[in-house]
Amino acid sequence: MENSSGYKDYVAGLLAGVSTVVVGHPFDTVKVKLQKHNTEANGIKYKSGLHCATRILKTEGVKGLYRGATSSFFGMAFESSLIFGIYSQSKKALQGGNQSDKPQPSVIIPAAAFGGTIISFVLCPSELVKCRMQVQGTDSLVPNSSKYNGPLDCVAKTFKSDGVTGIFRGGFTTLLRESIGNAVFFCTYEHLRYYIHAKLKDSSHDPSNLIDIGVGVVTGGLSGIAFWSVVLPLDVAKTVIQTTQCKSSTRNPFSVLKSIHARAGLKGCYAGFGPTVVRAFPANAAAIVSWELAVKLLGIKRD
């Protein structure tokens, strides 16, 4: 499908990551708030994602929706650069001389899962800082918390209290989420892209840049929804593990999910599903459109 051009794949991925944060971070803040506060033993704090967003805007303004965005920008830009770059390079290596226009799950799944595994080591510390910043705030529905003055202060205090292992808290859960989720994402993306382009070739219309953008929006958006629909329970467990201040609390995602399920049922395991799905489409559509545009501008050959 592609003739990858080394560093260019990583540059294209970086641009995709920046687009993802700009579009998706406010939704992510709502998701994290719901996952933290609506799964605790002392009861539900927010009625819905809209209720949560309204509370944040009322008490903190737009700035509240972008809490933790600094670490997210750096983390997501680097992570996106790696995932798109590693995926493209790994897929090319696995295909070898057997290049095929048709999607090959035997190539896509290991390439995407490998990329997801690698980026989990980058994502874990950046998301720990992001999540700890996001659950703070002045919202009157939750305990007023201002333990951290900023991302660097959060890193410093985490290192001081928990050491190196503290900053990688939730690492195994992040690895599971990213390896499984990216395999789902790229499988969905590659197959959708292939079948849509096949239909366009059969039609009498020549593909234009506008049509390409439309294809990117649809394939990216639906792939993002597929990603989160599969791995959201793991993400809920990760949020709980990373925002818990108790050092002795379990880091086993399955134990955490079992506990959440006992308290809040399946709904608790999918806490934040509304804002996550609402975010998934535009954020991943922006990522794919930006990536494909960068691929064209950088001269990376595609089918």
Side-chain angles (χ1 to χ4, degrees):
M1 175 185 154
E2 296 178 18
N3 244 334
S4 294
S5 306
Y7 76 93
K8 292 182 179 181
D9 288 311
Y10 295 91
V11 174
L14 186 146
L15 294 175
V18 171
S19 299
T20 302
V21 177
V22 171
V23 174
H25 193 83
F27 299 99
D28 188 66
T29 297
V30 173
K31 178 204 73 174
V32 170
K33 289 258 195 184
L34 288 171
Q35 290 177 341
K36 171 63 175 175
H37 300 299
N38 282 21
T39 59
E40 292 180 329
N42 56 350
I44 292 176
K45 302 293 193 306
Y46 300 109
K47 297 173 186 175
S48 64
L50 182 60
H51 179 223
C52 179
T54 302
R55 294 296 309 177
I56 294 170
L57 285 170
K58 185 176 181 180
T59 56
E60 301 178 74
V62 175
K63 180 178 70 174
L65 290 173
Y66 277 92
R67 276 187 175 273
T70 304
S71 64
S72 190
F73 264 113
F74 286 107
M76 183 60 76
F78 189 35
E79 172 261 326
S80 185
S81 175
L82 284 178
I83 188 61
F84 281 103
I86 292 172
Y87 171 70
S88 298
Q89 298 287 309
S90 298
K91 189 173 65 167
K92 183 184 178 185
L94 288 170
Q95 285 175 328
N98 302 318
Q99 299 291 329
S100 173
D101 289 342
K102 193 171 183 179
Q104 300 171 276
S106 61
V107 170
I108 297 168
I109 292 172
F114 175 64
T117 298
I118 298 299
I119 65 168
S120 67
F121 293 97
V122 177
L123 270 180
C124 182
S126 72
E127 288 205 354
L128 180 136
V129 173
K130 173 185 72 69
C131 288
R132 290 191 173 185
M133 293 297 298
Q134 285 174 318
V135 297
Q136 293 188 157
T138 56
D139 191 334
S140 60
L141 286 179
V142 298
N144 189 6
S145 171
S146 56
K147 183 177 181 180
Y148 308 114
N149 297 321
L152 292 179
D153 184 48
C154 180
V155 172
K157 286 180 177 175
T158 301
F159 266 120
K160 186 176 180 181
S161 63
D162 303 326
V164 176
T165 57
I167 206 72
F168 280 96
R169 185 179 185 90
F172 174 63
T173 311
T174 307
L175 187 151
L176 285 178
R177 186 195 71 180
E178 291 303 309
S179 58
I180 296 170
N182 278 290
V184 171
F185 178 89
F186 281 105
C187 262
T188 305
Y189 166 70
E190 296 283 16
H191 282 86
L192 281 174
R193 185 176 184 273
Y194 173 78
Y195 287 115
I196 292 175
H197 277 287
K199 290 290 184 184
L200 290 174
K201 285 178 183 177
D202 291 339
S203 70
S204 58
H205 299 288
D206 291 325
S208 64
N209 288 333
L210 191 61
I211 290 175
D212 283 343
I213 291 173
V215 172
V217 168
V218 172
T219 56
L222 292 179
S223 299
I225 290 174
F227 178 109
W228 287 108
S229 296
V230 171
V231 301
L232 188 62
L234 286 171
D235 188 63
V236 173
K238 183 194 72 70
T239 296
V240 172
I241 291 168
Q242 290 187 324
T243 55
T244 299
Q245 299 297 327
C246 179
K247 297 180 185 179
S248 61
S249 61
T250 181
R251 300 188 184 193
N252 183 326
F254 304 108
S255 296
V256 171
L257 286 173
K258 185 178 179 181
S259 177
I260 291 172
H261 188 271
R263 288 196 303 268
L266 188 62
K267 184 178 179 180
C269 295
Y270 274 87
F273 183 74
T276 300
V277 170
V278 171
R279 167 190 180 270
F281 196 99
N284 286 282
I288 289 297
V289 169
S290 299
W291 180 51
E292 293 188 343
L293 179 62
V295 162
K296 280 188 176 182
L297 292 175
L298 292 168
I300 301 173
K301 293 180 181 178
R302 293 172 64 93
D303 59 312

